[in-house]
Amino acid sequence: MKKPILSLSSLSQKYVMALAGIFLMLFLVSHLATNILMLRGDDGEAFRGAVRFLTENPFIKIMEYVLFAGFLIHIMLGVILQIQNTRARPVKYHTRLKTETSTFSRYMFHTGVIIFIFLVIHLVNFFFVRLGWVPIPEVAEGDRYEFYEMARELFQNPWYSAIYLISFVFLGFHLKHAFQSAFQSLGLNHNKYTPAIKTIGTIYALVISIGFASIPVYFLFFH
Ligand code: HEM
């Protein structure tokens, strides 16, 4: 038997990964709640107010570090799990093929890689502008917090809108599985509740992916 890559048991790896995943899922809810304000038809007034509140709030500043730690832990453990599953495959390939774990590890890793690539592009588009790592686009007139105008310009480019929309489809699939498998990893699955958890997971994944997708669609077609 091969040694685990980290000195964590595979069970505790899954546990930590599920906790980080749940935190990231909560982040997505709050991120969507802020960004959806772009659709209010008030030329970004309410959205700018929310951005001002968030960037001036010391709690949010701390949470930004927690968020990146969450992403890092989640990604690192995801990669380690994938490597371990691949290593284990020659021995148990036939029995593993039809299991939930197999589906989880195969598709979760691939959709996760796509989300990671999306995230890099996305951070370059917005967050790195705020940090001063990427020049402020002309449309923002020297204001690194002018995310509304940045978003409008970005999404009026069909290529960027397409990249975002395709990524949100994969995000939806990732979240649908993530939701139920997080409960499973935490040992909270029970025959009685599993169907309800699956349904809530599907609703969550749909709300998040359709919610985010509505932003590029709005700027591309209706604004
Ligand atoms: C159309 C959809 C989206 C829009 C318009 C959007 C908009 C933004 C904006 C304006 C920022 C900069 C905020 C700041 O620096 O204060 C930001 C940052 C960020 N976004 Fe998004 N976002 C979208 C989707 C997503 C998705 C799906 C994810 C995760 C999979 C994500 C993850 C992040 C992260 C990690 C940051 C950096 C941390 C932060 O500033 O909150 N975003 N986004």
Side-chain angles (χ1 to χ4, degrees), residues 2 29 33 37 41-42 52 54 59 74 82 88 103 114 116 119 122 124 142 144 146 150 164 177 205 216 223:
K2 297 230 167 76
V29 173
L37 292 175
D42 58 2
R52 207 174 310 122
L54 291 174
F59 174 72
H74 188 74
Q82 174 70 8
T103 318
I114 292 165
F116 177 75
L119 205 58
H122 180 53
V124 170
R144 67 182 54 182
E146 189 37 75
M150 292 181 216
Y164 272 67
H177 286 283
H223 199 64

Coordinates of all heavy atoms in Angstrom, one line a residue, residues 2 29 33 37 41-42 52 54 59 74 82 88 103 114 116 119 122 124 142 144 146 150 164 177 205 216 223:
K2 N 0.5 2.2 -0.9 CA 1.3 3.5 -1.0 C 1.0 4.4 0.2 O -0.1 4.4 0.8 CB 1.0 4.2 -2.3 CG 1.3 3.4 -3.5 CD 2.1 4.2 -4.5 CE 2.8 3.4 -5.6 NZ 1.9 3.0 -6.6
V29 N -22.2 32.7 -2.1 CA -23.6 33.3 -1.9 C -23.4 34.9 -1.6 O -24.1 35.7 -2.2 CB -24.2 32.7 -0.6 CG1 -25.5 33.4 -0.3 CG2 -24.5 31.2 -0.9
A33 N -24.6 37.9 -4.0 CA -25.5 38.9 -3.5 C -25.0 40.3 -3.7 O -25.8 41.2 -4.0 CB -25.7 38.7 -2.0
L37 N -26.3 43.2 -7.6 CA -26.7 44.6 -7.5 C -26.4 45.3 -8.8 O -27.0 46.4 -9.1 CB -26.1 45.3 -6.3 CG -26.5 44.8 -5.0 CD1 -25.7 45.5 -3.9 CD2 -28.0 45.1 -4.7
G41 N -30.3 48.3 -12.6 CA -30.7 49.3 -13.6 C -30.5 50.7 -13.1 O -31.1 51.7 -13.5
D42 N -29.6 50.9 -12.0 CA -29.3 52.2 -11.5 C -27.9 52.7 -11.8 O -27.3 53.5 -11.1 CB -29.5 52.2 -9.9 CG -28.6 51.2 -9.3 OD1 -27.8 50.5 -10.0 OD2 -28.7 51.1 -8.0
R52 N -18.2 49.9 -1.5 CA -17.6 50.8 -0.6 C -17.7 50.2 0.8 O -16.7 50.2 1.6 CB -18.3 52.2 -0.6 CG -17.4 53.3 -0.2 CD -18.1 54.7 -0.4 NE -18.7 54.8 -1.7 CZ -20.0 55.1 -2.0 NH1 -20.8 55.2 -1.0 NH2 -20.4 55.2 -3.2
L54 N -18.0 47.1 1.7 CA -17.1 45.9 1.9 C -15.6 46.3 2.0 O -14.9 45.7 2.8 CB -17.3 44.9 0.7 CG -18.7 44.3 0.6 CD1 -18.8 43.5 -0.6 CD2 -18.9 43.4 1.8
F59 N -13.6 43.7 9.1 CA -13.9 42.3 9.2 C -13.7 41.6 7.8 O -13.2 40.5 7.7 CB -15.3 42.1 9.7 CG -15.8 40.7 9.7 CD1 -15.3 39.8 10.6 CD2 -16.7 40.3 8.8 CE1 -15.7 38.4 10.6 CE2 -17.2 38.9 8.7 CZ -16.7 38.0 9.6
H74 N -8.3 24.0 -0.1 CA -9.3 23.2 -0.9 C -8.6 22.7 -2.2 O -8.7 21.5 -2.5 CB -10.5 24.1 -1.2 CG -11.6 23.4 -1.9 ND1 -12.4 22.6 -1.2 CD2 -12.0 23.4 -3.2 CE1 -13.3 22.1 -2.1 NE2 -13.1 22.6 -3.3
Q82 N -6.7 13.6 -5.8 CA -6.7 13.1 -7.2 C -5.5 12.3 -7.4 O -5.6 11.2 -8.0 CB -6.7 14.3 -8.1 CG -6.5 14.0 -9.6 CD -7.7 13.3 -10.2 OE1 -8.8 13.2 -9.5 NE2 -7.6 12.8 -11.4
A88 N -4.1 4.7 -6.7 CA -4.8 3.5 -6.2 C -5.5 2.7 -7.3 O -5.8 1.6 -7.1 CB -5.8 3.9 -5.1
T103 N -16.8 8.7 -9.5 CA -17.4 9.8 -10.3 C -16.9 11.1 -9.6 O -16.5 12.0 -10.3 CB -18.9 9.7 -10.2 OG1 -19.3 8.3 -10.3 CG2 -19.6 10.6 -11.2
I114 N -10.9 23.6 -14.3 CA -11.5 24.7 -15.1 C -11.9 25.9 -14.3 O -11.7 27.0 -14.6 CB -12.8 24.1 -15.9 CG1 -12.3 23.1 -16.9 CG2 -13.6 25.2 -16.5 CD1 -13.4 22.2 -17.5
F116 N -10.5 26.8 -11.5 CA -9.2 27.4 -11.1 C -8.7 28.4 -12.3 O -8.3 29.5 -12.0 CB -8.2 26.4 -10.8 CG -6.8 27.0 -10.4 CD1 -6.7 27.6 -9.2 CD2 -5.8 26.9 -11.3 CE1 -5.4 28.2 -8.9 CE2 -4.6 27.5 -11.0 CZ -4.4 28.1 -9.8
L119 N -10.8 31.3 -12.3 CA -10.5 32.2 -11.2 C -9.2 33.1 -11.5 O -9.2 34.3 -11.1 CB -10.2 31.3 -9.9 CG -10.5 32.0 -8.6 CD1 -11.9 32.5 -8.5 CD2 -10.2 31.0 -7.5
H122 N -10.3 35.7 -13.8 CA -11.2 36.6 -13.1 C -10.5 37.5 -12.1 O -10.8 38.7 -12.0 CB -12.2 35.7 -12.3 CG -13.2 36.5 -11.5 ND1 -14.0 37.5 -12.1 CD2 -13.6 36.5 -10.2 CE1 -14.8 38.1 -11.2 NE2 -14.5 37.5 -10.0
V124 N -7.4 38.6 -12.5 CA -6.7 39.5 -13.3 C -7.7 40.6 -13.8 O -7.4 41.8 -13.8 CB -6.1 38.8 -14.6 CG1 -5.5 39.8 -15.6 CG2 -5.0 37.9 -14.1
G142 N -9.2 56.0 -13.7 CA -8.2 56.1 -12.6 C -8.7 55.6 -11.2 O -8.0 55.6 -10.2
R144 N -9.6 52.5 -9.0 CA -9.4 51.1 -9.0 C -10.6 50.3 -8.4 O -10.6 49.1 -8.4 CB -8.1 50.7 -8.3 CG -8.1 51.0 -6.8 CD -6.8 50.7 -6.2 NE -5.7 51.4 -6.9 CZ -4.4 51.3 -6.6 NH1 -4.1 50.5 -5.6 NH2 -3.5 51.9 -7.2
E146 N -13.7 51.1 -9.4 CA -14.8 51.3 -10.3 C -15.2 50.0 -11.1 O -15.0 49.9 -12.3 CB -14.5 52.4 -11.3 CG -15.6 52.9 -12.2 CD -17.0 52.9 -11.5 OE1 -17.3 53.8 -10.7 OE2 -17.8 52.0 -11.8
M150 N -15.8 48.5 -15.2 CA -14.9 47.4 -15.6 C -15.7 46.2 -16.1 O -15.4 45.6 -17.1 CB -14.0 47.0 -14.5 CG -12.9 48.0 -14.1 SD -11.9 47.3 -12.8 CE -11.6 48.7 -11.8
Y164 N -16.8 33.4 -19.3 CA -17.4 33.4 -18.0 C -18.6 32.5 -18.0 O -18.8 31.7 -17.1 CB -17.9 34.9 -17.6 CG -16.8 35.7 -16.9 CD1 -15.7 36.1 -17.5 CD2 -17.0 36.0 -15.5 CE1 -14.7 36.8 -16.8 CE2 -16.1 36.7 -14.8 CZ -14.9 37.1 -15.5 OH -13.9 37.8 -14.8
H177 N -22.2 18.5 -7.1 CA -21.6 17.4 -6.5 C -21.0 17.8 -5.1 O -21.0 17.0 -4.2 CB -20.5 16.8 -7.4 CG -21.0 16.0 -8.5 ND1 -21.5 14.7 -8.4 CD2 -21.2 16.3 -9.8 CE1 -22.0 14.3 -9.5 NE2 -21.8 15.3 -10.4
A205 N -26.7 24.9 -6.6 CA -25.9 25.0 -7.8 C -26.5 25.8 -8.9 O -25.9 26.6 -9.6 CB -25.5 23.6 -8.3
P216 N -23.1 38.6 -17.0 CA -22.6 38.9 -18.4 C -23.7 39.0 -19.4 O -23.7 39.8 -20.4 CB -21.7 37.6 -18.7 CG -21.7 36.8 -17.5 CD -22.4 37.5 -16.4
H223 N -27.8 46.0 -22.0 CA -27.3 47.2 -21.4 C -26.5 48.0 -22.4 O -25.6 47.5 -23.0 CB -26.5 46.9 -20.2 CG -26.3 48.1 -19.3 ND1 -27.4 48.7 -18.7 CD2 -25.2 48.8 -18.9 CE1 -26.9 49.7 -17.9 NE2 -25.7 49.8 -18.1

